[in-house]
Amino acid sequence: MSAVPAARPAEDAAAEGGEDRSDGSAGRLAGYNLGYLDENTKRMIRRTLLKAVAIPGHQVPFGSREMPLPYGWGTGGIQVTAAVIGPEDRLKVIDQGADDTTNAVSIRRFFARVAGVATTERTREASIIQTRHRIPETPLREGQIIVYQVPMPEPLFRLEPRVAETRRMHALADYGLMHVKLYEDIARHGQVAISYNYPVMVNGRYLMAPSPIPSFDNPKMDRMPALQLFGAGREKRIYAVPPYTAVKSLDFEDHPFQPVRAPAACALCGSQESYLDEVVTDDRGGRIFVCSDTDYCHTRQAAQPREAAE
Amino acid sequence: MYVAVKGGERAIEAAHAWLAEERRGDPALPELSVEQIGQQLGLAVDRVMAEGACFDRGLAALAIKQARGDLIEAAFLLRAYRTTLPRFGASLPLDTGAMRIRRRVSATYKDLPGGQVLGPTFDYTHRLLDFALACDRPGSPDPGRESQAPGLTAAEGNAPPSAPEAPAKAAAMPRVTSILAQEGLMQPETPGEAEPPDLTREPLSFPADRPVRLQALARGDEGFLLGLGYSTQRGYGNAHPFVGEIRMGEVAVEIEPPELGFPIEIGEITVTECQMVNQFAGSKTEPAQFTRGYGLTFGHGERKAMAMALVDRSLRAAELGEEATAPAQSEEFVLYHCDNVEATGFVEHLKLPHYVDFQSELEKIRQMRATALREAAE
Amino acid sequence: MSPPLLEARGLSLRYGAVPALDDVALSIWPGEVVAIVGESGSGKTTLLRVLSGLLRPEAGTVLYRAPAGATHAVHDMGEAALRRLQRTDWGFVHQNPRDGLRLGISAGGNIGERLMATGARHYGTIRGAATEWLKRVEIDPARIDGLPRTFSGGMQQRLQIARTLVTHPRLVFMDEPTGGLDVSVQARLLDLIRALVADLGLSVLLVTHDIAAARLLAHRMLVMRQGRVVEEGLTDRVLDDPQHEYTQLLVASVLAA
Ligand SMILES: Nc1ncnc2c1ncn2[C@@H]1O[C@H](COP(=O)(O)OP(=O)(O)OP(=O)(O)O)[C@@H](O)[C@H]1O
Ligand SMILES: [Mg+2]
Ligand SMILES: [Zn+2]
């Protein structure tokens, strides 16, 4: 039986070449390269990203690595972020719109540890925002990057589970089936029954899964000034929407797309526009609604005179 | 006034501290050493090496200790470590024909050159709990009870009497499939020129060729492959398998550094190989013959190697022009779902918060119900 | 005379020793119905699949003249262009409606699919067209949201025809559209097809076992045997005055039965 190495042998790092393996002195995790991934892997991911940006909405396969977080917990987003992050970046991580949900905390800590990068909770201050399930309420601007964690990159998977077949459908832009699904919903329910991960058409060519954001967030993707990157680790796909690209939610002319939002105001900041979480306050049907975007809500609360918030 | 729940960071730290306590268990008991795990839970170590796709008994034992015996978690730990390792190169194909054999059985020939070697196997043990093994310390169940295994005493630390040894046979142990091949009865497997793709560097794509399929299966979950292999025997897929041979033992690993130009041995690993012999009715272009299902795992992993060989063969349906209707014959179905690190992550991610999606769904259902109720009222 | 809509020359395809197609030539003109008859295994389905681009022949060419006047060699077109043709200009009616329908999708969705695949984005219009077509193929429009698996065999076949014709294709391939149905249902379906063909001015390549169906629908017919076309001509001429001894046998056996 071989001895258990106490730490990574230094020669390993040297062999990879050109790496900035930390000795742990800068507060970064010892024995790992900046951003955790080795430089060759980052190069591979960046090449994939370039291809993805060049073909908006097209899923590009990539050699997704095992990450120290489980598949399905954001490994795709983490790899994309790790490939584009640098020491001068300022990272914001949200899950369900909030900076302080456990998974967001865990991912933010991971990057603070392996990239020694500055973090923030302010949408405005972030240069990279990694997100699960939301787009911030504060409009993103040029120069920012939003990285979506994607569990299922294939928008057609519920209609056609065979990946070889869906790839063909994308190649031929053969999306009639998706519209048939919308037609069936309207025939049965009077409306499209999709409320999140609502399929979009990117640049008039590729059908794309926006990741499980609420359909409320879909309009924010259209002609967004920021670069949108999508990483699906387990499914090993990356795709992208370059700045100012048309992103259209599928619909019919006489049944236009309608984003879903609870018809209420935030109990904390009073916002009538933001996407709301429902909070059950007792077991007798009592409930209030609060902003799911915590930074947005805090900013609004801070801007209000004290009494108004009470 | 309502105050949003906070403190994710503190909660995570507290949870991790608690986990560490649970892992250690009662501190009054001696701590399990990694060496003990390696020695006494050797088959768990083998499984973690196979599914973690990394041959390192020490690291696998450490992973088992850290994962509190959760073998899928341990395989995950090992994989997450493995993926950061630099790759120096690829080994030459293992020569399992030259294996230093500890076990070798064939179900197709009663006797064959080299003979059958039973080796350290559970086969033919009676599955009776051996209470003698429980008598290692006071307070263990029923210390007065007699050992089920004659000849063993129950004192702590006592080694079992050593197994009788036969002189090593000098005779070669040709693989059973080569015996069939000599007669032209076995479909030949032609070695490909191209370097096989590396699943850990390039994503699966379909149709997947056999080297890719075998890689995926070798890393695949033992339980999943067992169930699929079993299904082929029960009519879901058209299997007529015989165990041509199972062999387990040590094989040399060789690499050929380009600057040297000749192979050098860098060490030895334990592997289990299973070659299933399957009937094949023949096709327009090929006469009837036997075809091979192949299984290979790190360590002593007989069940996995056998299941893998069954599934490998059933995945060859398309290539052999057989009708493919069963789950075990569907490349996409098997290869996309056999990886337990991927599967466990995605199944378990369901416990992450989904408030936002659920909220959207809630509003949608409310809207649809309102529409339906309004229409019903009209 | 205008040039043919579809023109095939020298088509050959073997399955092992079986010549499924052996130097077959065929042309069909706009508005024409051509029947392909022959015994089981004579290569009819294979011919239809080769003509419609679903199967590649070992030798020979198939030319299609698009409405704009451009001529395409069917087997040299890219897959994308061929699919576009298959869901716009062409239609395929399968013998078994289960092969031509989506069983888990409503009748309306089945009819609407080709419209949506070719860009229709107005729900009301799509639904209107589906209702209209259900009426046309004599299915109660109230069944528009019903699933095909709850339909009878004859209804399923009529639904498949509606689904295929809704985009007004110019050329329709039909493989024994009345097979598997009982005789009275067959007769009604044949009447329906005849009316639709006349209304829409379709060109149809109709594979059938049924000489009576051929006589009712087809302007011209081809008789196939062992992968070869053994006789070809105007339907009445072939049936009333068969030249080839195999055709004579075929016609006689039908008359005798
Ligand atoms: N995929 C295939 N593999 C092998 N042989 C085939 C295949 N498809 C068709 N054949 C053979 O080619 C010949 C022509 O078959 P085809 O299906 O075209 O006949 P058909 O005239 O449509 O018969 P039927 O009236 O019974 O439908 C037959 O001998 C058939 O067995
Ligand atoms: Mg046929
Ligand atoms: Zn708020």
Side-chain angles (χ1 to χ4, degrees), chain A residues 149-167:
Chain A
Q149 298 173 200
V150 180
M152 276 309 267
E154 180 47 67
L156 295 161
F157 85 98
R158 285 185 200 286
L159 306 173
E160 172 55 70
R162 291 168 303 175
V163 175
E165 187 53 31
T166 54
R167 282 176 67 84

Side-chain angles (χ1 to χ4, degrees), chain B residues 284, chain C residues 13-16 18-21 38-49 55 95 175-176 207-209 224 227:
Chain B
K284 275 194 297 293
Chain C
L13 180 62
R14 304 179 74 85
Y15 288 112
V18 181
L21 293 180
E39 65 190 349
S40 180
S42 57
K44 306 183 297 292
T45 296
T46 305
L47 176 58
L48 218 53
R49 290 174 57 80
L55 199 63
Q95 172 170 356
D175 193 355
E176 311 206 26
V207 162
T208 182
H209 271 116
M224 285 189 75

Side-chain angles (χ1 to χ4, degrees), chain B residues 138-178:
Chain B
S140 50
D142 204 356
R145 182 148 171 183
E146 282 210 10
S147 168
Q148 301 285 356
L152 285 188
T153 54
E156 184 181 359
N158 257 11
S162 44
E165 284 178 40
K169 282 192 196 146
M173 291 215 194
R175 283 171 295 196
V176 168
T177 44
S178 339

Side-chain angles (χ1 to χ4, degrees), chain C:
Chain C
M1 198 160 80
S2 63
L5 190 61
L6 190 82
E7 189 175 7
R9 264 183 250 125
L11 297 178
S12 294
L13 180 62
R14 304 179 74 85
Y15 288 112
V18 181
L21 293 180
D22 184 1
D23 195 22
V24 172
L26 173 159
S27 296
I28 179 167
W29 276 265
E32 199 184 25
V33 178
V34 175
I36 302 166
V37 301
E39 65 190 349
S40 180
S42 57
K44 306 183 297 292
T45 296
T46 305
L47 176 58
L48 218 53
R49 290 174 57 80
V50 167
L51 292 174
S52 60
L54 297 175
L55 199 63
R56 180 171 286 279
E58 284 158 0
T61 53
V62 180
L63 297 179
Y64 173 71
R65 279 189 185 78
T71 301
H72 304 283
V74 167
H75 295 280
D76 297 338
M77 296 172 79
E79 199 182 342
L82 183 60
R83 273 222 190 174
R84 204 173 313 120
L85 204 58
Q86 284 166 346
R87 65 193 184 201
T88 53
D89 268 23
W90 294 359
F92 204 108
V93 176
H94 298 261
Q95 172 170 356
N96 187 345
R98 284 162 189 272
D99 296 334
L101 291 174
R102 294 193 187 275
L103 296 181
I105 283 176
S106 70
N110 264 288
I111 299 176
E113 180 170 357
R114 272 171 75 108
L115 291 172
M116 292 183 252
T118 51
R121 292 291 178 267
H122 191 282
Y123 175 83
T125 310
I126 293 163
R127 201 155 167 89
T131 309
E132 190 49 41
W133 270 96
L134 285 173
K135 284 192 208 142
R136 254 179 125 156
V137 298
E138 296 162 22
I139 296 175
D140 179 1
R143 303 290 294 268
I144 189 168
D145 295 329
L147 294 180
R149 72 167 72 91
T150 65
F151 289 10
S152 72
M155 283 166 79
Q156 287 182 355
Q157 197 53 291
R158 278 176 278 144
L159 180 60
Q160 191 193 181
I161 289 169
R163 167 184 161 88
T164 308
L165 299 189
V166 65
T167 50
H168 295 276
R170 300 166 25 138
L171 173 61
V172 180
F173 303 89
M174 296 190 181
D175 193 355
E176 311 206 26
T178 60
L181 299 173
D182 76 47
V183 182
S184 65
V185 179
Q186 277 190 19
R188 251 179 81 195
L189 190 62
L190 286 174
D191 268 349
L192 175 72
I193 294 174
R194 186 167 63 164
L196 289 172
V197 166
D199 271 13
L200 302 169
L202 296 175
S203 305
V204 179
L205 271 165
L206 172 76
V207 162
T208 182
H209 271 116
D210 183 352
I211 302 285
R215 193 190 281 278
L216 182 69
L217 293 175
H219 303 109
R220 270 193 310 131
M221 66 189 286
L222 275 72
V223 182
M224 285 189 75
R225 189 184 188 205
Q226 291 171 356
R228 295 192 69 90
V229 175
V230 294
E231 183 157 2
E232 174 178 7
L234 295 175
T235 306
D236 291 339
R237 204 281 294 150
V238 172
L239 292 180
D240 297 340
D241 180 22
Q243 302 293 304
H244 193 276
E245 55 185 287
Y246 174 69
T247 319
Q248 290 164 1
L249 215 72
L250 203 71
V251 174
S253 68
V254 172
L255 296 179

Side-chain angles (χ1 to χ4, degrees), chain B residues 253-264:
Chain B
V253 179
E254 293 182 324
I255 58 166
E256 191 175 302
E259 58 273 29
L260 282 186
F262 56 86
I264 51 169

Side-chain angles (χ1 to χ4, degrees), chain A residues 44 48 58-66 71-72 75-77 79-80 150-154 163 167 230-239, chain B residues 79 198-206 219 335-337 339 341-343:
Chain A
M44 176 272 293
T48 310
H58 168 61
Q59 302 166 48
V60 187
F62 80 112
S64 175
R65 302 290 193 256
E66 265 103 3
Y71 281 124
T75 52
Q79 289 179 77
V80 169
V150 180
M152 276 309 267
E154 180 47 67
V163 175
R167 282 176 67 84
F230 299 78
R234 189 180 38 79
E235 296 286 331
K236 303 171 179 63
R237 296 284 187 278
I238 282 174
Y239 51 102
Chain B
R79 288 240 200 128
D198 180 349
L199 201 55
T200 67
R201 302 279 137 163
E202 268 144 52
L204 270 175
S205 65
F206 293 94
R219 289 155 55 95
L335 302 188
Y336 269 130
H337 303 118
D339 189 301
V341 174
E342 289 176 9

Side-chain angles (χ1 to χ4, degrees), chain A residues 2 8 16 36 63 66 71-73 96 109 132-133 163-164 191-192 195 212 234 236 260 275-276 278, chain B residues 13 56 79-81 83-84 86 201 219 332 342 345-346 349 353 355-357 359-361 364 366-367:
Chain A
S2 72
R8 294 284 298 276
E16 200 71 35
Y36 181 79
E66 265 103 3
Y71 281 124
W73 298 52
Q96 315 298 300
R109 271 166 43 136
R132 178 168 171 263
H133 294 190
V163 175
Q191 57 183 295
V192 175
S195 64
R234 189 180 38 79
K236 303 171 179 63
V260 179
Y275 188 77
L276 301 173
E278 184 168 329
Chain B
E13 260 156 30
D56 189 316
R79 288 240 200 128
Y81 178 78
T83 194
T84 68
R201 302 279 137 163
R219 289 155 55 95
E332 278 208 21
E342 289 176 9
F346 201 50
H349 107 286
Y355 324 135
V356 163
D357 301 348
Q359 183 60 42
S360 231
E361 205 75 341
K364 197 75 197 174
R366 281 174 183 146
Q367 276 179 14

